């Protein structure tokens, strides 16, 4: 299906041309005939297949055809993470640049007053995370009485991050499902998500692409079995052997990410690390540098595994195998975006291998195994610099003081 064959308003069609879109991806081809006809859709597709464009095109088409005003939000897009909200805002401004709608994003970690003033000034389309939006709703900064289109992106992640209570709070303040159109998209739609769909959607049509194959066909998957103490040696060897233009390395914890970044720096590999604890402004700056190609290596926890569209990511490396099998799909989906090819390399050490069986069961196939040749391991490398002695002394003093307080407390008891 070609985009120019769809009966879309001229201003929206021009935005699609500007974005360089010509042919619909499978999920777009299955979704758009239903959603443009006004039906509610619950869509599942492997990550990186164009779900965002599918719901944005439907959203702009509906708002242009209804042409209602009033100064209150007419469309609401909910996302579980700040990074995903930023990505959706970027895509919305690109596709809707000729449509004339005001777009306001609201999410934590950035200027609270500026976002509040933007909402008060009136926004046709609001894109946000549940927590920050609820803050403004309770302050009566804006209302949701005129919302004609609701989009819930990465719905399963809403459950994983504990947002289901916040999500229900927002949904109960919207017009009834007969008076709005609702689209729900995710790389995975489980039973919990579908219960939510049947409660708050109007007879949703289910759309599933590659149901039995959750990982994209154009991603080359490779697994290395390696001892934990040799993981960094293998990583260095892979970085030197493979032609890695832009690489994302995933770890399970912030502490492991900081340790890995220190090792990378000591061995002349420029990298930055993002996690949920990194300030939002810094995270956005790091992401801009990575997207622009100024930063070759991005180390991240699963905060960056969903929804982010970054062109040109040639490799994804699971330095730690994820404990949640669904996160494996989302992580490797950061490469091979929009029809490109990519490679996903996973390192399975003594602890990570415990997750391997569940991951392979979930994705429906075994990950091809390669054995690390001796010459691939880089045995000579610089160790990361230790923390300054004064800092370690202060930490030891605090630890000693805490232990002393606990002993005193026990004696008093």
């Amino acid at each position: 299906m070609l985009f120019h064959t769809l009966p879309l308003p001229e201003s929206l069609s021009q935005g699609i041309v500007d974005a360089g879109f010509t042919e619909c991806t499978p999920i777009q081809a299955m979704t758009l005939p239903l959603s443009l006809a006004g039906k509610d859709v619950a869509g599942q597709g492997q990550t990186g297949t164009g779900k965002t464009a599918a719901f944005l095109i439907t959203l702009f088409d509906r708002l242009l055809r209804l042409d209602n005003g009033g100064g209150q939000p007419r469309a609401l897009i909910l996302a579980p993470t700040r990074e995903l909200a930023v990505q959706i805002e970027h895509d919305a401004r690109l596709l809707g640049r000729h449509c004339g709608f005001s777009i306001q994003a609201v999410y934590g970690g950035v200027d609270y007053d500026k976002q509040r003033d933007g909402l008060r000034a009136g926004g046709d389309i609001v894109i946000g995370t549940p927590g920050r939006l609820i803050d403004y709703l309770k302050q009566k900064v804006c209302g949701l009485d005129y919302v004609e289109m609701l989009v819930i992106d990465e719905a399963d992640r809403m459950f994983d991050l504990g947002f289901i209570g916040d999500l229900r709070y927002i949904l109960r303040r919207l017009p009834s499902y007969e008076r709005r159109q609702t689209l729900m998209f995710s790389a995975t739609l489980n039973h919990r998500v579908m219960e939510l769909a049947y409660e708050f959607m109007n007879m949703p049509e289910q759309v599933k692409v590659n149901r039995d194959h959750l990982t994209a066909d154009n991603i080359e998957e490779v697994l290395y079995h390696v001892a934990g103490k040799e993981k960094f040696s293998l990583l260095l060897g892979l970085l030197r052997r493979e032609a890695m233009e832009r690489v994302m390395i995933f770890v399970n914890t912030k502490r492991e990410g900081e340790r890995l970044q220190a090792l990378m720096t000591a061995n002349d590999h420029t990298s930055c690390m993002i996690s949920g604890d990194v300030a939002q402004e810094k995270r956005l700056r790091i992401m801009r540098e990575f997207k622009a190609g100024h930063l070759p290596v991005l180390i991240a926890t699963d905060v960056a595994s969903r929804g982010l569209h970054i062109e040109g990511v040639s490799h994804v490396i699971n330095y730690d195998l994820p404990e949640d099998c669904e996160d494996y799909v989302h992580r490797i989906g950061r490469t091979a975006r929009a029809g490109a090819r990519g490679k996903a390399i996973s390192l399975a050490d003594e602890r990570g291998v415990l997750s391997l069986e569940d991951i392979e069961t979930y994705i429906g196939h075994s990950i091809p195994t390669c054995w690390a040749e001796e010459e691939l391991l880089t045995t000579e490398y610089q160790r990361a610099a230790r923390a300054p002695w004064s800092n370690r002394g202060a930490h030891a003093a605090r630890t000693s003081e805490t232990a002393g307080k606990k002993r005193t407390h026990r004696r008093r008891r």
Side-chain angles (χ1 to χ4, degrees):
M1 180 186 292
L2 300 177
F3 280 106
H4 72 79
T5 63
L6 296 172
L8 300 173
E10 178 59 31
S11 57
L12 177 55
S13 296
Q14 186 59 51
I16 293 173
V17 171
D18 292 347
F21 297 163
T22 55
E23 185 176 352
C24 295
T25 64
I27 196 167
Q28 292 166 353
M30 295 176 67
T31 298
L32 289 171
L34 298 171
S35 60
L36 292 176
K39 295 185 178 181
D40 287 8
V41 174
Q44 172 182 307
Q46 56 201 29
T47 186
T49 53
K51 299 187 296 294
T52 302
F55 67 67
L56 285 175
I57 289 171
T58 303
L59 183 151
F60 286 123
D61 177 76
R62 183 179 178 89
L63 297 191
L64 286 167
R65 295 186 188 282
L66 293 179
D67 195 24
N68 296 326
Q72 291 291 331
R74 298 178 57 199
L76 175 63
I77 303 174
L78 295 173
T81 66
R82 304 166 187 173
E83 284 73 21
L84 183 52
V86 171
Q87 182 67 55
I88 294 172
E89 180 190 14
H90 173 270
D91 293 345
R93 294 191 184 280
L94 177 61
L95 286 171
R97 63 192 303 178
H98 303 288
C99 297
F101 296 119
S102 59
I103 300 171
Q104 178 64 48
V106 293
Y107 48 86
V110 294
D111 196 319
Y112 188 94
D113 295 335
K114 183 177 180 180
Q115 290 183 357
R116 182 182 58 197
D117 295 342
L119 275 182
R120 279 182 174 156
D124 298 305
I125 302 167
V126 174
I127 304 165
T129 54
R132 177 60 63 94
L133 179 60
I134 288 175
D135 280 352
Y136 294 137
L137 291 176
K138 289 182 176 180
Q139 296 177 35
K140 302 190 184 304
V141 174
C142 69
L144 303 177
D145 298 332
Y146 298 95
V147 170
E148 305 158 25
M149 169 69 76
L150 168 67
V151 177
I152 303 173
D153 199 14
E154 299 290 0
D156 56 340
R157 192 66 168 167
M158 296 283 190
F159 282 91
D160 296 340
L161 295 178
F163 285 142
I164 187 58
D166 291 344
L167 187 59
R168 290 181 182 277
Y169 178 93
I170 294 170
L171 295 180
R172 290 181 179 128
R173 280 152 181 79
L174 293 169
S176 63
Y177 54 73
E178 301 96 341
R179 295 167 50 204
R180 68 169 194 265
Q181 184 178 6
T182 304
L183 305 180
M184 180 183 293
F185 284 86
S186 178
T188 54
L189 287 176
N190 53 38
H191 293 298
R192 297 179 303 173
V193 173
M194 291 313 301
E195 286 177 5
L196 188 72
Y198 291 132
E199 182 179 356
F200 290 100
M201 299 176 72
N202 187 16
M203 300 292 291
E205 299 276 353
Q206 288 192 49
V207 172
K208 295 186 178 183
V209 178
N210 281 2
R211 180 176 180 180
D212 298 324
H213 192 191
L214 295 177
T215 57
D217 293 327
N218 49 351
I219 300 177
E220 179 187 354
E221 298 175 73
V222 175
L223 176 76
Y224 287 92
H225 289 278
V226 60
K229 63 182 180 180
E230 294 181 337
K231 279 172 67 175
F232 186 69
S233 297
L234 178 57
L235 176 63
L236 280 182
L238 291 169
L239 290 173
R240 291 168 180 169
R241 188 183 73 174
E242 302 265 345
M244 297 190 183
E245 301 169 5
R246 194 176 302 171
V247 57
M248 295 183 71
I249 303 177
F250 284 100
V251 294
N252 288 344
T253 65
K254 174 191 173 184
R255 181 177 180 182
E256 183 64 21
E258 291 173 340
R259 191 183 74 86
L260 180 57
Q261 184 186 3
L263 283 168
M264 294 283 284
T265 301
N267 290 273
D268 300 324
H269 284 279
T270 303
S271 66
C272 285
M273 197 273 292
I274 63 172
S275 67
D277 293 336
V278 176
Q280 183 64 19
E281 289 291 349
K282 183 177 180 181
R283 282 158 65 176
L284 292 176
R285 175 177 56 78
I286 291 172
M287 293 304 300
R288 284 194 298 268
E289 292 179 357
F290 186 63
K291 289 181 179 181
H294 304 315
L295 178 67
V297 178
L298 177 66
I299 301 169
T301 60
D302 283 307
V303 71
S305 68
R306 295 207 180 204
L308 298 184
H309 176 69
I310 304 171
E311 293 183 0
V313 176
S314 60
H315 291 72
V316 166
I317 299 177
N318 287 309
Y319 192 75
D320 297 327
L321 273 179
E323 296 175 355
D324 187 335
C325 51
E326 292 183 9
D327 287 333
Y328 176 82
V329 175
H330 294 293
R331 286 182 180 186
I332 71 171
R334 298 313 101 204
T335 187
R337 307 288 292 184
R341 299 197 65 82
K343 189 170 184 178
I345 302 172
S346 298
L347 309 184
D349 61 9
E350 301 89 344
R351 177 178 298 181
V353 75
L354 299 176
S355 305
L356 182 58
E357 183 178 355
D358 288 342
I359 291 172
E360 292 182 332
T361 300
Y362 180 74
I363 63 178
H365 64 270
S366 297
I367 304 172
T369 299
C370 285
W371 300 100
E373 305 90 353
E374 197 67 32
E375 58 270 20
L376 186 57
L377 298 175
T378 304
T379 55
E380 298 295 329
Y381 62 86
Q382 297 296 320
R383 269 56 179 177
R386 301 183 68 183
W389 179 258
S390 58
N391 291 348
R392 286 186 280 123
H395 173 73
R398 288 194 297 270
T399 303
S400 176
E401 181 182 356
T402 303
K405 289 180 179 179
K406 289 181 178 178
R407 287 194 297 269
T408 302
H409 179 66
R410 286 196 296 269
R411 285 198 298 269
R412 288 175 178 169
R413 292 180 61 189

